[in-house]
Amino acid sequence: MSYASRLMKKLTAIAVAGLLFAGLLPSAVSANTAIISTNQPANITANSATITFNWNIHTANAQGSQIGLIFSTNLNDVINVTASAEQRAEQTISSNGTTTITLTNLQPGTQYFVRTFAQPSMLTQRQFDPNVVNFTTLAAGTGTGQSATNVTTASAAFANAIITARGHFPTAHFTNVSERGFVVSSTQSAPTTQNATRRQTQTNLETSANNIAADWQVTTTASAYYVRAYVVNSGQTFYGNVIRVPISTDLPLVFTRSAEMTTATEARVVIDVAQSGQSAVFERGVVFSGTAQQPQRGASGVQSRSVPGTVGETEVLLTGLTTNTRYFVRAYAINQQGTAYGQVLELTTIGADSVRTLAASNVAQDRFTANANITGINANDIRERGFVFSSANSTPTLTDQRVSMSGGTTGDFSMEVTGRERDTRYFVRAFVTLDSGTVFGSVVEVTTAAQEVSVTVTFQSLALQSVGTQTVTIARGSAITAAQLTIPEGFSIVNPDLSIVITDQTAIMVPVQADQRPEVAFIAGTGSLTFSPNRPATRGEVAQILYNLSPDRVIGIPLTFTDVAANHPNSRAIDYASSRALMRGDAGAATFRPNDPITRAEVCVVLTNFYTLTGNPVSGFPDVDSGAWYHRPVSLAFANRMVAGYEDGTFRPHNNITRAEITTVFVRAEQEAGRRTGQPLGTVQFTDVPSTHWAHRFIMNAAVPH
């Protein structure tokens, strides 16, 4: 045969073989064609393999026809019958039947692809088996055994966006199978577990131990997919023959992308009409049913929801679902050629309020704690739980930001959300993902804290004098209220409903007023039921009496005393007395001696200063010399009936004054000033002040609050 004749013969074979492999021509195109079927290779060694195939040549006489095979380590070579890489073995036959060809001189541990052919004597081109088989030779030094070619891809077909594939393998030769399934690709004509998508077999589709079965939804708009079965046995992967699955474009190409619960009775389904098909799509949506596992429009027990549009991805909201119910859901699209459906997904609704989002806690500038409660769900069904949140989307979903954990228990749970913007409102809701979808709780709002500001609060009396200060740290934009303030002792806030919003100010003024209680208790007992009437009064206690009886309690600029600590019980009173020049410390010293006794003469000086006594009276006490520093204060206090002498006519100015005496002095002084009655304020008795005590009436008036 001439080179030109052989070339024409080969080109014709390429065209016919390609059409047959693509499934575009029937197996018998004329009376002079052949039907060929190839068995799986057998007797595989490191350097050889046996190929058995059947043929039936439709001619009046098969005499002189040729049969054979081509093989290569490159799948494209045998699919396209590439002349440059073709290796072939052939023989002449006289009748139809079965033949066996043994391939020799093969490379060890190498995968080969094989196609068989027949060439009727009346034709000039070969007729190829549309299917390709393959095998892998054993490693060098190993004996005869079974190979990957014992795995068969029996069928693979496309319908309604789903590829359905079936295959099998002999269990007698594969005794340690760890995995079985299909590899599928729209770009690789020889898909493997390394370069294609792996689809493991689904147990519920198997009918026997050696079957391989799987369904899956195509994910691209490719014109065809390449599919073949595989088995992993003892760690080695074996492949079956490749089947090319063309994707029909008459009907729409529809995908059910996702389905998730949004509440106990609502679900969101994402559908995608990737192609309209031969004509335009005029309706699309979702069909769903609680009974029909393959729901179709118009079928009994099947509901549908349509949405506007033709092609592309969109969401469909299913409402009014029944709680605690399993639903079968899938997308659909209709054109003039008919209705196409996407993959069926399952949703299981749960009880109302099974997922509740609770109020956030521990809110700070950059974080907060999200809280939730899960009830009525089996903890073993929980795949993931957590919170979704957004500052822009008022109904956040899994596409927004989230914090989550795998699995988990039911009941209350919390998670900290960090890295947030300050002074920002966030929409937060809990979610639980089950095998049947994701369920969300209600949305709660939380606003992170604003920048904190330190504000100096000055308490100002009605006489416009400062009586104290306080520092309040508060978030900018928040309000300072009366409840946050510590009002100085002896004062009350003028406006109990005070509320001042802090923006940029760092200091505010709060009006206060002195407590105006004419009968206020101005001296305390020394215990719950003791007064210690005979104990000397201290200088600090006298300062406290002055502060308690003061009509305004305004502190000016106090003197600094080294022996008066800030936590001294009479510290504020001493500041008041020294700033108002009512009492002084030691001359030329910085001490006040707050715990030392005070003399009767010193008390008269205090009375003169506190009540502003004036004049130059004479007391007449023999022990109060006219040239003494205390002569005038004693005389003024006596003249104003605030003090009295003893029965022997003396005053005893250098004696320490007792607590009973100082109480009597100030009760009388307040009475003379018209600010106090002489009646007791209460009936509580001190155990050391019986009713027969000479100062009982005065102590009851001064020490028992009404």
Side-chain angles (χ1 to χ4, degrees):
M1 183 182 294
S2 68
Y3 174 79
S5 298
R6 292 190 63 189
L7 178 61
M8 180 59 70
K9 176 179 178 181
K10 189 166 296 185
L11 292 175
T12 304
I14 291 172
V16 173
L19 291 173
L20 283 168
F21 186 75
L24 299 179
L25 290 179
S27 57
V29 296
S30 71
N32 292 318
T33 58
I35 297 177
I36 308 136
S37 63
T38 309
N39 298 324
Q40 294 297 328
N43 302 319
I44 311 298
T45 70
N47 305 108
S48 64
T50 300
I51 312 298
T52 301
F53 57 100
N54 306 308
W55 71 92
N56 184 7
I57 298 177
H58 296 279
T59 62
N61 187 353
Q63 183 75 29
S65 296
Q66 286 187 315
I67 54 93
L69 58 84
I70 62 172
F71 62 99
S72 174
T73 58
N74 189 319
L75 176 64
N76 287 327
D77 289 345
V78 296
I79 290 178
N80 299 320
V81 194
T82 304
S84 61
E86 176 186 332
Q87 302 178 65
R88 84 174 170 263
E90 55 187 353
Q91 58 184 261
T92 301
I93 60 170
S94 59
S95 62
N96 294 322
T98 299
T99 194
T100 297
I101 296 177
T102 299
L103 303 179
T104 59
N105 298 319
L106 303 178
Q107 295 297 316
T110 303
Q111 186 178 34
Y112 286 90
F113 300 92
V114 179
R115 288 182 70 189
T116 58
F117 66 84
Q119 182 178 332
S121 59
M122 302 299 294
L123 295 179
T124 59
Q125 70 272 1
R126 303 177 217 151
Q127 306 293 304
F128 283 88
D129 184 343
N131 293 320
V132 176
V133 297
N134 69 85
F135 64 93
T136 299
T137 55
L138 300 180
T142 58
T144 303
Q146 297 298 325
S147 74
T149 54
N150 290 291
V151 180
T152 302
T153 311
S155 64
F158 170 82
N160 289 328
I162 305 297
I163 291 178
T164 299
R166 299 293 182 266
H168 62 269
F169 61 94
T171 53
H173 302 301
F174 294 93
T175 59
N176 190 25
V177 175
S178 60
E179 183 180 324
R180 55 178 176 264
F182 296 89
V183 284
V184 56
S185 174
S186 61
T187 58
Q188 301 294 325
S189 58
T192 67
T193 55
Q194 286 74 40
N195 65 15
T197 302
R198 183 182 304 192
R199 304 287 179 178
Q200 295 187 35
T201 188
Q202 300 176 18
T203 303
N204 62 336
L205 293 178
E206 295 181 28
T207 56
S208 64
N210 65 336
N211 277 354
I212 307 174
D215 295 344
W216 63 89
Q217 185 174 27
V218 298
T219 57
T220 69
T221 57
S223 60
Y225 282 81
Y226 297 92
V227 179
R228 63 174 169 173
Y230 75 93
V231 170
V232 179
N233 185 75
S234 298
Q236 184 177 358
T237 304
F238 300 91
Y239 296 98
N241 51 293
V242 176
I243 296 180
R244 181 180 183 274
V245 181
I247 304 302
S248 170
T249 57
D250 289 344
L251 294 176
L253 183 58
V254 186
F255 303 108
T256 314
R257 294 297 188 193
S258 65
E260 63 180 12
M261 298 302 303
T262 55
T263 69
T265 58
E266 292 184 358
R268 178 186 292 106
V269 183
V270 178
I271 68 171
D272 184 10
V273 182
Q275 293 182 5
S276 61
Q278 188 173 340
S279 58
V281 171
F282 59 83
E283 183 180 335
R284 63 177 179 170
V286 170
V287 289
F288 59 101
S289 173
T291 55
Q293 297 187 18
Q294 299 290 325
Q296 296 186 8
R297 294 178 68 255
S300 175
V302 176
Q303 302 179 64
S304 63
R305 297 283 191 275
S306 63
V307 291
T310 55
V311 296
E313 188 173 290
T314 189
E315 292 183 354
V316 182
L317 185 64
L318 307 183
T319 60
L321 303 178
T322 303
T323 58
N324 299 313
T325 302
R326 181 176 66 166
Y327 286 91
F328 303 94
V329 180
R330 63 174 170 174
Y332 76 89
I334 308 174
N335 65 7
Q336 291 183 356
Q337 279 65 46
T339 302
Y341 295 94
Q343 181 184 20
V344 175
L345 301 180
E346 291 187 19
L347 286 173
T348 300
T349 58
I350 60 177
D353 295 327
S354 292
V355 180
R356 293 188 298 123
T357 313
L358 308 178
S361 58
N362 303 323
V363 181
Q365 293 186 48
D366 64 341
R367 67 193 61 217
F368 57 85
T369 299
N371 303 299
N373 178 268
I374 303 173
T375 57
I377 298 177
N378 189 331
N380 294 329
D381 294 336
I382 298 175
R383 291 169 46 195
E384 183 182 5
R385 62 175 182 165
F387 300 88
V388 291
F389 54 93
S390 172
S391 60
N393 184 5
S394 60
T395 54
T397 67
L398 295 178
T399 60
D400 292 294
Q401 293 179 296
R402 64 172 155 172
V403 291
S404 63
M405 64 180 75
S406 299
T409 59
T410 58
D412 292 336
F413 78 98
S414 302
M415 299 190 72
E416 188 175 37
V417 180
T418 60
R420 300 301 93 214
E421 296 292 331
R422 66 188 180 196
D423 196 19
T424 302
R425 179 179 64 172
Y426 287 92
F427 302 96
V428 183
R429 62 174 172 168
F431 76 89
V432 175
T433 298
L434 312 172
D435 287 335
S436 58
T438 299
V439 182
F440 293 92
S442 58
V443 176
V444 299
E445 295 182 17
V446 55
T447 300
T448 52
Q451 182 180 8
E452 292 185 338
V453 181
S454 292
V455 181
T456 299
V457 180
T458 299
F459 300 104
Q460 189 179 68
S461 71
L462 297 181
L464 304 182
Q465 292 181 304
S466 173
V467 297
T469 60
Q470 178 185 353
T471 299
V472 177
T473 300
I474 192 170
R476 192 183 302 277
S478 300
I480 292 179
T481 64
Q484 298 169 272
L485 302 177
T486 302
I487 309 301
E489 182 183 355
F491 289 88
S492 59
I493 192 167
V494 173
N495 178 16
D497 298 323
L498 175 79
S499 180
I500 302 175
V501 177
I502 302 303
T503 53
D504 297 322
Q505 64 268 50
T506 58
I508 61 173
M509 195 76 69
V510 175
V512 293
Q513 58 190 2
D515 295 333
Q516 299 300 319
R517 293 182 294 167
E519 300 297 308
V520 67
F522 61 81
I523 188 170
T526 56
S528 60
L529 293 175
T530 58
F531 186 77
S532 305
N534 300 321
R535 196 203 76 189
T538 66
R539 289 169 54 80
E541 288 175 330
V542 172
Q544 190 67 53
I545 290 173
L546 298 179
Y547 183 79
N548 291 345
L549 292 174
S550 171
D552 57 18
R553 297 181 180 82
V554 175
I555 299 175
I557 301 176
L559 300 179
T560 301
F561 301 110
T562 59
D563 57 351
V564 180
N567 61 352
H568 192 281
N570 307 126
S571 172
R572 184 174 181 81
I574 293 170
D575 285 345
Y576 167 78
S578 64
S579 71
R580 300 294 290 270
L582 303 177
M583 296 179 69
R584 300 182 183 277
D586 293 337
T591 57
F592 186 81
R593 295 181 289 112
N595 301 321
D596 287 359
I598 188 170
T599 65
R600 288 168 56 81
E602 289 173 330
V603 168
C604 290
V605 175
V606 172
L607 291 171
T608 300
N609 294 336
F610 187 65
Y611 292 104
T612 319
L613 304 181
T614 60
N616 293 291
V618 177
S619 63
F621 292 114
D623 54 353
V624 180
D625 187 79
S626 61
W629 62 268
Y630 48 80
H631 176 270
R632 183 173 180 273
V634 171
S635 298
L636 286 172
F638 177 74
N640 286 277
R641 294 185 290 186
M642 295 179 179
V643 296
Y646 290 93
E647 293 179 354
D648 61 0
T650 62
F651 185 74
R652 304 175 191 176
H654 301 295
N655 284 8
N656 293 332
I657 195 167
T658 66
R659 283 172 52 82
E661 289 173 332
I662 197 69
T663 303
T664 302
V665 165
F666 275 100
V667 170
R668 285 175 173 170
E670 287 292 289
Q671 287 176 322
E672 291 300 321
R675 298 201 297 238
R676 199 173 195 88
T677 69
Q679 299 300 318
L681 300 179
T683 59
V684 175
Q685 298 290 326
F686 293 110
T687 58
D688 54 358
V689 184
S691 59
T692 57
H693 192 284
W694 68 267
H696 177 269
R697 178 171 63 88
F698 298 103
I699 293 173
M700 290 298 102
N701 178 277
V704 182
H706 65 294

